[in-house]
Amino acid sequence: MTAISMYEASVPTFIHTLTSLKTILQKGIASAEARKFDPAVLAGSRLYPDMLPLTRQVQIASDAAKGAVARLANIEPPKFEDTEATLAELVARVEKTIDFIKSVKREQIDGSEDREIIIKTPRGELNFKGLVFLRHWALPNFFFHVTTTYNLLRHAGVDVGKLDYLGGTLQG
Amino acid sequence: MTAISMYEASVPTFIHTLTSLKTILQKGIASAEARKFDPAVLAGSRLYPDMLPLTRQVQIASDAAKGAVARLANIEPPKFEDTEATLAELVARVEKTIDFIKSVKREQIDGSEDREIIIKTPRGELNFKGLVFLRHWALPNFFFHVTTTYNLLRHAGVDVGKLDYLGGTLQG
């Protein structure tokens, strides 16, 4: 019998989809090489002029994942400096994020469903309990920035498909 | 003490983000009216020529949500005919999807973490247990199509922001 718990509902999801994000970024690098343009063009791409570029989408996906896990575990997340400028550096950022998330133990997160979590937004402070934070804020926010990264690459003609996003190791 | 269970990890998430999808589509309708173009242009929009248009993104988000809930509950999901051609019809589709999901009871879904679930993909059949299905397939797939809908509207200059996607009723 599998137990469902806050750990089971969070950590494996972040690791699984961050691994897909790595694959998607690597396809971006390969596509720029094959089509002979600077992959920095992809790193700076946007779907609309006032939107954040791909670089920031990946950094925010990373922050969303490590921030969620850290908040649920009631620890400080590692601070990354947001200096990545290339897709290769973004891949390394995703790897560092996965490493941190893997370092958090089941017992640090299990039982966090009622933990008080405060998020500051442009519209003011939001007070969540751990479970509502996870499902109404952390997971939607994380998937948003991973999918937007995918869409930026798709829009640029990179040969990514939904199965790259859903993950190659689906039985895991 | 909040209990975390398969119901708590699935149904409220789908309802929350489908409600946001409705808001986002309604902003698309309002934007087309304000800018005086046919909202059907948005319904047919794509980020790349071989990508599915917005209409299909919403239909698939609906199918992902109702399909996931039905599979976890081990019941047949309602079949919708995919005849929507306008944003207003897509809003109605999202509402019907929410109605179905709300009709499924906690006790139909709780305990489904080990239920065998088979998904047919272009790369063959995938066998999941309920919990892995939810976190590695159903939720990522659902968020993917909602976010892609958002990105299509964003790309078309509709005034949507991330807080529309994250939801107006964040404490719920």
Side-chain angles (χ1 to χ4, degrees):
Chain A
M1 179 73 183
T2 313
I4 175 159
S5 68
M6 287 298 284
Y7 181 89
E8 285 293 330
S10 59
V11 165
T13 302
F14 290 122
I15 292 174
H16 180 80
T17 296
L18 285 167
T19 306
S20 301
L21 179 57
K22 233 179 87 174
T23 304
I24 289 164
L25 291 170
Q26 285 164 335
K27 282 204 160 187
I29 296 171
S31 175
E33 278 170 13
R35 293 189 286 161
K36 302 191 196 313
F37 61 79
D38 184 348
V41 177
L42 297 176
S45 67
R46 306 168 197 259
L47 291 172
Y48 203 71
D50 67 357
M51 188 175 145
L52 295 170
L54 185 143
T55 312
R56 289 292 299 140
Q57 301 294 338
V58 177
Q59 289 164 345
I60 299 171
S62 157
D63 288 347
K66 71 182 169 61
V69 168
R71 281 166 192 276
L72 292 174
N74 207 16
I75 58 177
E76 275 297 309
K79 207 170 156 52
F80 300 151
E81 290 301 333
D82 294 340
T83 51
E84 296 86 4
T86 68
L87 295 191
E89 287 168 359
L90 291 170
V91 168
R93 164 79 174 249
V94 174
E95 285 170 345
K96 278 195 298 183
T97 309
I98 294 172
D99 287 346
F100 164 68
I101 293 172
K102 283 186 174 168
S103 78
V104 178
K105 300 206 172 6
R106 183 178 293 274
E107 56 268 27
Q108 293 175 274
I109 292 187
D110 279 351
S112 62
E113 47 269 43
D114 284 323
R115 183 162 292 153
E116 293 287 341
I117 290 173
I118 298 171
I119 297 286
K120 290 176 184 146
T121 83
R123 293 192 201 162
E125 272 189 7
L126 296 170
N127 288 272
F128 292 104
K129 297 212 164 187
L131 174 60
V132 178
F133 164 74
L134 177 64
R135 72 185 178 205
H136 290 183
W137 186 271
L139 289 176
N141 193 31
F142 170 68
F143 283 117
F144 180 90
H145 291 286
V146 174
T147 301
T148 298
T149 303
Y150 174 100
N151 281 330
L152 283 162
L153 294 176
R154 187 79 169 81
H155 183 53
V158 176
D159 180 28
V160 283
K162 202 171 69 178
L163 288 178
D164 295 315
Y165 164 84
L166 288 174
T169 55
L170 278 164
Q171 314 296 27
Chain B
M1 178 75 183
T2 313
I4 175 160
S5 68
M6 286 297 284
Y7 182 88
E8 285 294 329
S10 59
V11 164
T13 304
F14 290 121
I15 291 173
H16 180 79
T17 297
L18 285 168
T19 305
S20 301
L21 178 57
K22 233 179 86 174
T23 303
I24 290 164
L25 291 170
Q26 284 163 336
K27 282 204 160 186
I29 295 170
S31 176
E33 276 171 14
R35 294 188 286 159
K36 301 191 198 312
F37 61 78
D38 184 349
V41 176
L42 297 177
S45 68
R46 305 167 198 259
L47 292 171
Y48 203 71
D50 67 357
M51 189 174 145
L52 295 172
L54 185 143
T55 313
R56 288 293 298 139
Q57 302 294 337
V58 177
Q59 289 164 346
I60 299 172
S62 156
D63 287 347
K66 71 182 167 64
V69 169
R71 281 167 192 275
L72 293 174
N74 206 17
I75 59 176
E76 275 297 310
K79 205 169 160 49
F80 299 152
E81 291 300 333
D82 294 338
T83 51
E84 296 85 4
T86 68
L87 296 191
E89 287 168 358
L90 291 170
V91 168
R93 165 78 173 249
V94 173
E95 285 170 346
K96 278 195 299 184
T97 308
I98 294 171
D99 288 344
F100 164 68
I101 292 173
K102 284 187 174 168
S103 77
V104 178
K105 300 208 172 8
R106 183 177 293 274
E107 57 269 27
Q108 292 175 275
I109 291 188
D110 278 352
S112 61
E113 46 268 44
D114 284 324
R115 184 163 291 152
E116 293 286 344
I117 290 174
I118 297 170
I119 296 287
K120 289 175 184 146
T121 83
R123 294 191 200 162
E125 273 189 6
L126 295 170
N127 288 271
F128 292 103
K129 295 211 168 191
L131 175 59
V132 179
F133 164 74
L134 177 64
R135 74 186 177 203
H136 291 182
W137 186 270
L139 289 176
N141 193 32
F142 170 67
F143 283 117
F144 180 92
H145 292 286
V146 174
T147 301
T148 299
T149 302
Y150 174 100
N151 281 329
L152 283 163
L153 294 175
R154 188 79 169 83
H155 183 54
V158 175
D159 179 29
V160 283
K162 202 169 69 177
L163 288 179
D164 294 316
Y165 164 84
L166 288 173
T169 55
L170 278 164
Q171 314 295 29

